[in-house]
Amino acid sequence: MSTTKTAIWVGSVLLAPLAFVVGLLILFVAAVASGASGHEEEAGLSSAPVAGTAPASVAGIGPVVLAAYTRAASAVTARRPKCSGMRWSVIAGIGKVESGHASGRTVAANGSVSPRIYGVRLNGSGAGGNTSVHSDTDQGVLDGDDVYDRAVGPMQFIPSTWQGPSGQDGNGDGAKDPHNIFDAAQATGVYLCGNGSSDLTADAQLRKAVLRYNQSGAYADEVIGHVHAYDQLTPSGSGPAGAPGGAAFHDGAADWPAAVRNPRSTAAAINWARQEAARGGQDWYRACLAFVARTYGWSYSGVQYAIDHYRQMPASMRHDRDRTPPPGALMYWDTGKRAGHVAIYLGGGKIASNDIRRSGYIDIVNATDIETVWGATYLGWAPPYFPKGG
């Protein structure tokens, strides 16, 4: 990778009687176990955050490497909560350009890559595109060179960058090793996110993040091209529409019927949903229908369950199984529970949804995640029609 990459900055991260505390704990556990019956969303929750679930296999990417990309994307959700849109494909785009996903190397189950991958000697000679001198900073421990630094590992970190706050322990073995794909992939995700707020589903912000990794426009173009290609892959293969692993969702063109009138415009609703996702929105546990109603400016939807909202739609407004919703459309799933699920479509195959990554939070995820993570069945989409809303 480019020698211009610099390390990210990381910011600083009434006693009660025992019987009372235990009692509260029991009540809390009971409430969680019972499913808080008054809420609108009754779908089962994923036990771990999922950031863009990868297919079972991807040509050119070994299974351990693919697992590292997926695991890293999920981990970044917790480590960089202001960064939305991180997914396996973004990390894979970097890995493709930097080392061809550790091509030609053996990747052990724990993520160790052998033989090690070293970049050119950063002595300013121009070889391999290096024009700046980087004298040794690691006594050759990471790069085998005690005179000059070299980029190291499958994601090609410079030792001085890795030894700062960028280094990560992605496989939980207590070591931070740039030659381990789990560690390196997680470090890549953290580095791309930085410390500020960002939405990597937006190409402009994704490009800014990639340029932070390597200050080359050609490099950014190449990486983003791979990211887009990986984004098009269907998780779990190419199953039929409406089944887990169904085809990706594509953008259409919004043309709401005249009866569809809301306090907030479609563009404003999408913006509000994105803002809620950026801040997290911790109050949306099992409240999917309430959330989409709020995006359009309503205080309440007027219907108790998401699946009923879809079924009560005029037949002319329901688009059963159709996977070409326009941005701003409401998308519905049968989760096997009474309530079902609904989310707002943002475009580009993405939705803003509660609970899919973190219980009670809003996150921007792939629309197909509702199927691959929860095993739900896609019902279709409808315009944002809330005749009983208020």
Side-chain angles (χ1 to χ4, degrees):
M1 64 182 293
S2 168
T3 60
T4 57
K5 187 176 74 172
T6 56
I8 57 174
W9 300 342
V10 178
S12 58
V13 180
L14 298 158
L15 294 177
L18 179 60
F20 178 68
V21 173
V22 172
L24 286 178
L25 179 59
I26 292 172
L27 288 174
F28 172 77
V29 172
V32 172
S34 69
S37 59
H39 291 225
E40 295 180 340
E41 171 54 37
E42 296 180 345
L45 301 179
S46 173
S47 61
V50 176
T53 304
S57 63
V58 177
I61 306 180
V64 177
V65 176
L66 185 59
Y69 293 158
T70 303
R71 181 170 175 172
S74 295
V76 169
T77 300
R79 285 166 173 76
R80 293 292 182 270
K82 294 181 181 179
C83 178
S84 65
M86 177 55 69
R87 53 206 187 273
W88 77 272
S89 56
V90 173
I91 300 174
I94 298 290
K96 171 66 175 177
V97 175
E98 294 294 357
S99 68
H101 309 301
S103 177
R105 263 59 175 186
T106 298
V107 183
N110 71 348
S112 293
V113 177
S114 62
R116 291 184 167 189
I117 301 173
Y118 297 115
V120 299
R121 203 178 202 197
L122 302 178
N123 57 8
S125 67
N130 91 95
T131 57
S132 301
V133 175
H134 285 252
S135 298
D136 176 64
T137 60
D138 69 328
Q139 293 74 53
V141 172
L142 298 177
D143 61 8
D145 191 327
D146 61 4
V147 179
Y148 296 99
D149 272 347
R150 298 172 183 260
V152 297
M155 309 307 273
Q156 290 290 276
F157 277 90
I158 298 171
S160 58
T161 301
W162 183 268
Q163 292 176 321
S166 296
Q168 297 285 309
D169 176 15
N171 63 354
D173 65 357
K176 298 178 180 180
D177 182 4
H179 298 285
N180 182 287
I181 187 59
F182 287 101
D183 295 359
Q186 184 168 303
T188 296
V190 168
Y191 193 96
L192 289 169
C193 280
N195 286 319
S197 296
S198 59
D199 177 7
L200 301 187
T201 63
D203 270 2
Q205 295 189 48
L206 175 60
R207 185 178 183 82
K208 183 178 179 180
V210 174
L211 288 172
R212 184 185 301 119
Y213 205 88
N214 183 314
Q215 297 172 15
S216 163
Y219 176 91
D221 290 341
E222 186 177 3
V223 168
I224 293 172
H226 290 303
V227 173
H228 286 169
Y230 291 135
D231 277 340
Q232 296 305 309
L233 299 180
T234 304
S236 303
S238 55
F249 292 87
H250 302 284
D251 291 343
D255 185 17
W256 308 141
V260 177
R261 298 179 181 274
N262 298 299
R264 191 175 283 142
S265 70
T266 299
I270 291 174
N271 183 60
W272 191 91
R274 287 186 177 278
Q275 289 181 356
E276 191 69 4
R279 81 172 186 86
Q282 303 176 38
D283 302 321
W284 298 111
Y285 177 57
R286 296 189 172 187
C288 59
L289 184 56
F291 169 68
V292 296
R294 284 286 301 279
T295 65
Y296 277 95
W298 299 102
S299 297
Y300 56 88
S301 68
V303 179
Q304 185 175 7
Y305 296 123
I307 200 166
D308 291 341
H309 192 247
Y310 186 66
R311 290 169 176 166
Q312 292 173 17
M313 283 278 176
S316 61
M317 291 189 186
R318 290 199 307 268
H319 297 262
D320 294 340
R321 308 296 190 200
D322 187 303
R323 289 179 178 266
T324 59
L330 305 184
M331 299 173 63
Y332 299 82
W333 286 266
D334 182 350
T335 61
K337 304 284 186 175
R338 172 65 180 89
H341 188 67
V342 62
I344 181 172
Y345 187 59
L346 305 178
K350 303 294 182 181
I351 57 173
S353 174
N354 63 307
D355 294 341
I356 185 64
R357 285 188 186 167
R358 301 169 294 169
S359 177
Y361 287 79
I362 302 299
D363 285 295
I364 296 174
V365 299
N366 293 328
T368 50
D369 281 1
I370 306 300
E371 296 156 63
T372 57
V373 176
W374 285 346
T377 298
Y378 178 59
L379 295 177
W381 67 269
Y385 184 50
F386 296 97
K388 300 178 183 179

